[in-house]
Every structure is written in structure tokens, then in C-alpha cells.
Amino acid sequence: AAELDGEVASLKPEQLKDKPDIILITVDTLRADHLRAYGYDRPTSPWLDRMAKEGVLFEHAFGGSSWTVPSMATIFTGLYPFQHGVDRGLVQRGEVTRQPALGPEHQTLAEQLKAAGYTTYGVATNTHLTKQLGFAQGFDHFEHQGYAPASDIYDVVSNWATELQSSRPYFLWLHFFDPHDKYLPRRPWVEDFDIMAAAELPELAAQSALERDRRLREWSTKVMTTLRRSEETKEPAVVSTLKTLYDSEVRYTDRWIRKTMEMIDPGPDTVVVFTSDHGEEFREHGDLGHRTTLYNEQTRIPLVIRAPGR
């Protein structure tokens, strides 16, 4: 059998199912140029790098928007944001407000596959992507975890693992949230990526890893909220440290994707699609984060499709 971590076996026509299992992996806030497969110099994505060698990598893929809600609605409907209308929404005091629901008049990818005989599964870790807001349309099994880490997706899918194997063909959507701010220092990768003591916070060097992580979490949260547009956050050392924290989150997510895929143990002709909703800016055009421009850093996303034998 072909495996995602090994060499791709060539499949004979008789080994191909008419309806292959399909896994769609979307990673929130993941810009393409922070992945080794897209030329990045840090080893942020070993699992994806292997998959890219085994599949097709699209060099110029762009999200439908520079933030999650309209972009994910576009991925599921194939419509532009002005067509599906899901283009607003805020999170205030932990609650989503003023976000239009994805209407039932728009047929989704999950609905199309369910009509074609697929059993459909979805798990999302973003507060905007709920059943109440229309993102569970077409799913036989849907779990929403709020702003949860990648390990929570692994736990949900582990509960479905046996059923997945017996309900083929299946469509499985996994939406990972972790690279989104506020960035957490993920070990051991923060150290691998040269942030042992954070250049602008030299006093961290004498502190324990636990205390350094606490300080970095508080610092990154402050920078991405109250200090986001201040002059002091434009310093190169600040931007460099934010990128390092972000990269450690990307590497952490890549590891949990690998663990989740190993647990699922997909069949040899399973179609796997990997992409993102939008990117993230690190002062390329004067801002941090996303949802502010349509420049490449906020809209260019990875897209890799692995379809053995096809």
C-alpha cells in the first residue's frame, strides 16, 4: 500500500476505486511561503513536504479572502464571497456576532459528496465554523471544538477511526486552528528556530522554559492586540520573534496532522487535499495578522493534492 510517510506505490487500474475516500485538511492562517515545500528555509512542515513530493503542488493558489469566514465558505461552495454573502462577523467576549449563516440554498462540497454516496465527517477548531452558522451542511458527523489545539482534532478522529474504516467511501474534513494568533511557543521547535532567549527580551535567558513560555505568550498576545499598530512593534527583532513563534505553531500542527493520518491509516488510493483559508502578514505592508489587505502574504495559500493513480 502507498503510505504518506513513505514512497508512493504505483497503483494498477484495478486497484482504484470509482469513489475513493477523500480527506480535506485545512489549516487556519497558513501562508504558503512558511512551508519548506514552498521554499522556506526552516523545517516547518516535514509531513507536508513528503506529501508534496508524492502529489501535485500548486505554486500560485489564493484564498477567497484574507480571513476565515468568507474563504471557508468559498472552499465549500465554489462561490465568491459576494455571491455566498458570508462576509462579515466578529468575536466579542467569546461570542460570534453579526456573521451571516451559510444559507441552505448554497450546495456545499459535503452535500454533493453525501448525495454521491459518501459518509461525511467534519471537525473544525474555529469559533466561526459552527453548525449554527451553516458549516455543518451535508455532514453526517460534525464536531465543533471552538479555538482548540490540533491534539483535540486527533482525539475526535480517534473516536471515528473504526467507523471510518467501515463506512467507505468517506469524506473527512479536518480544520486545524493552531497557527492563528495569539502564537504559542511550541517546544522543542522554538528552540530549534533560535528563540531560546528572544532577542528583544534578553532576561528570558536566565529563566526556566516554563517561565519563558509564559512570558512569550503574554508578550505575543499584547503585540497582536493592544500594540499591533504601535511603532515599537515594527522593530525587526519583534517581527523576527513573532515569525519564530508562528513557525513553531506550524511545525506543531504538521506533527499532529501526521499523527492523525497515521491513526486513520488511509487506503492506498485515498485522495488527500491540503490547503489553508488565508495567510498572515508580518509587516510586509505595514501590519500584522490578517483580514486587512489582499496582498500575497495574506491571501497566497498552500494547495497540495495527492491522488495516487489518478
Side-chain angles (χ1 to χ4, degrees), residues 162-285:
T162 300
E163 189 173 351
L164 278 171
Q165 300 301 327
S166 61
S167 59
R168 289 172 166 167
Y170 65 76
F171 168 60
L172 173 64
W173 170 46
L174 309 174
H175 184 82
F176 292 85
F177 182 74
D178 299 88
H180 198 289
D181 68 43
K182 304 353 171 255
Y183 316 124
L184 301 180
R186 299 292 190 178
R187 296 189 180 277
W189 305 292
V190 284
E191 294 168 353
D192 292 344
F193 298 157
D194 273 336
I195 197 174
M196 192 69 175
E200 77 292 348
L201 296 173
E203 69 273 17
L204 290 179
Q207 297 173 352
S208 68
L210 190 63
E211 179 63 14
R212 288 201 303 273
D213 286 355
R214 184 187 68 79
R215 293 283 301 278
L216 285 168
R217 284 196 301 271
E218 292 177 353
W219 174 83
S220 67
T221 299
K222 189 175 181 181
V223 168
M224 296 302 291
T225 53
T226 59
L227 298 180
R228 182 169 167 176
R229 290 177 174 82
S230 68
E231 288 298 316
E232 63 187 279
T233 63
K234 297 180 181 179
E235 294 294 327
V238 172
V239 175
S240 175
T241 301
L242 287 175
K243 286 183 177 180
T244 296
L245 291 168
Y246 174 83
D247 289 345
S248 79
E249 291 265 52
V250 174
R251 180 65 180 82
Y252 170 85
T253 305
D254 184 90
R255 182 186 70 168
W256 278 103
I257 293 173
R258 174 182 60 79
K259 290 170 67 72
T260 302
M261 293 297 288
E262 288 174 348
M263 181 261 295
I264 295 171
D265 189 23
D269 68 344
T270 298
V271 174
V272 181
V273 181
F274 178 97
T275 191
S276 175
D277 49 359
H278 56 81
E280 187 82 326
E281 180 177 347
F282 293 105
R283 293 293 185 207
E284 286 87 353
H285 287 90

Side-chain angles (χ1 to χ4, degrees), residues 1-12 15-16 23 47 50-51 54-55 168 261-262 264-272 306-310:
E3 296 181 359
L4 288 173
D5 287 335
E7 295 296 322
V8 180
S10 58
L11 296 177
K12 298 177 181 179
Q15 292 177 286
L16 297 175
I23 300 175
W47 179 85
R50 286 191 293 269
M51 179 178 154
E54 299 167 355
R168 289 172 166 167
M261 293 297 288
E262 288 174 348
I264 295 171
D265 189 23
D269 68 344
T270 298
V271 174
V272 181
R306 178 185 180 275
R310 292 178 166 79

Side-chain angles (χ1 to χ4, degrees), residues 11-303:
L11 296 177
K12 298 177 181 179
E14 60 268 21
Q15 292 177 286
L16 297 175
K17 291 190 297 184
D18 290 336
K19 295 179 180 178
D21 301 328
I22 301 172
I23 300 175
L24 170 63
I25 301 169
T26 54
V27 178
D28 214 301
T29 321
L30 181 60
R31 53 186 284 175
D33 62 358
H34 274 243
L35 300 168
R36 177 65 65 84
Y38 282 86
Y40 198 44
D41 58 355
R42 285 175 168 172
T44 53
S45 52
W47 179 85
L48 177 65
D49 299 343
R50 286 191 293 269
M51 179 178 154
K53 291 178 181 178
E54 299 167 355
V56 177
L57 180 146
F58 292 79
E59 295 182 355
H60 301 287
F62 294 86
S65 177
S66 60
W67 67 292
T68 298
V69 170
S71 186
M72 287 308 306
T74 290
I75 286 175
F76 274 106
T77 64
L79 301 173
Y80 288 109
F82 80 88
Q83 294 172 307
H84 59 61
V86 186
D87 56 1
R88 300 178 301 283
L90 297 170
V91 176
Q92 297 177 320
R93 297 189 179 92
E95 297 292 329
V96 178
T97 63
R98 289 180 282 174
Q99 179 176 322
L102 180 60
E105 69 274 15
H106 300 308
Q107 189 179 49
T108 67
L109 173 63
E111 288 177 305
Q112 292 177 343
L113 290 171
K114 183 176 180 179
Y118 281 74
T119 304
T120 53
Y121 300 80
V123 54
T125 53
N126 185 312
T127 298
H128 290 280
L129 306 177
T130 65
K131 179 179 181 180
Q132 292 76 13
L133 291 170
F135 285 93
Q137 289 178 208
F139 286 102
D140 296 306
H141 308 275
F142 182 83
E143 290 284 342
H144 176 257
Q145 298 291 303
Y147 295 135
S151 56
D152 281 28
I153 288 185
Y154 177 90
D155 292 340
V156 170
V157 177
S158 67
N159 293 328
W160 291 340
T162 300
E163 189 173 351
L164 278 171
Q165 300 301 327
S166 61
S167 59
R168 289 172 166 167
Y170 65 76
F171 168 60
L172 173 64
W173 170 46
L174 309 174
H175 184 82
F176 292 85
F177 182 74
D178 299 88
H180 198 289
D181 68 43
K182 304 353 171 255
Y183 316 124
L184 301 180
R186 299 292 190 178
R187 296 189 180 277
W189 305 292
V190 284
E191 294 168 353
D192 292 344
F193 298 157
D194 273 336
I195 197 174
M196 192 69 175
E200 77 292 348
L201 296 173
E203 69 273 17
L204 290 179
Q207 297 173 352
S208 68
L210 190 63
E211 179 63 14
R212 288 201 303 273
D213 286 355
R214 184 187 68 79
R215 293 283 301 278
L216 285 168
R217 284 196 301 271
E218 292 177 353
W219 174 83
S220 67
T221 299
K222 189 175 181 181
V223 168
M224 296 302 291
T225 53
T226 59
L227 298 180
R228 182 169 167 176
R229 290 177 174 82
S230 68
E231 288 298 316
E232 63 187 279
T233 63
K234 297 180 181 179
E235 294 294 327
V238 172
V239 175
S240 175
T241 301
L242 287 175
K243 286 183 177 180
T244 296
L245 291 168
Y246 174 83
D247 289 345
S248 79
E249 291 265 52
V250 174
R251 180 65 180 82
Y252 170 85
T253 305
D254 184 90
R255 182 186 70 168
W256 278 103
I257 293 173
R258 174 182 60 79
K259 290 170 67 72
T260 302
M261 293 297 288
E262 288 174 348
M263 181 261 295
I264 295 171
D265 189 23
D269 68 344
T270 298
V271 174
V272 181
V273 181
F274 178 97
T275 191
S276 175
D277 49 359
H278 56 81
E280 187 82 326
E281 180 177 347
F282 293 105
R283 293 293 185 207
E284 286 87 353
H285 287 90
D287 206 348
L288 296 170
H290 54 271
R291 196 176 176 169
T292 58
T293 77
L294 295 176
Y295 287 112
N296 279 4
E297 59 270 12
Q298 292 195 34
T299 58
R300 187 183 173 212
I301 57 173
L303 176 60

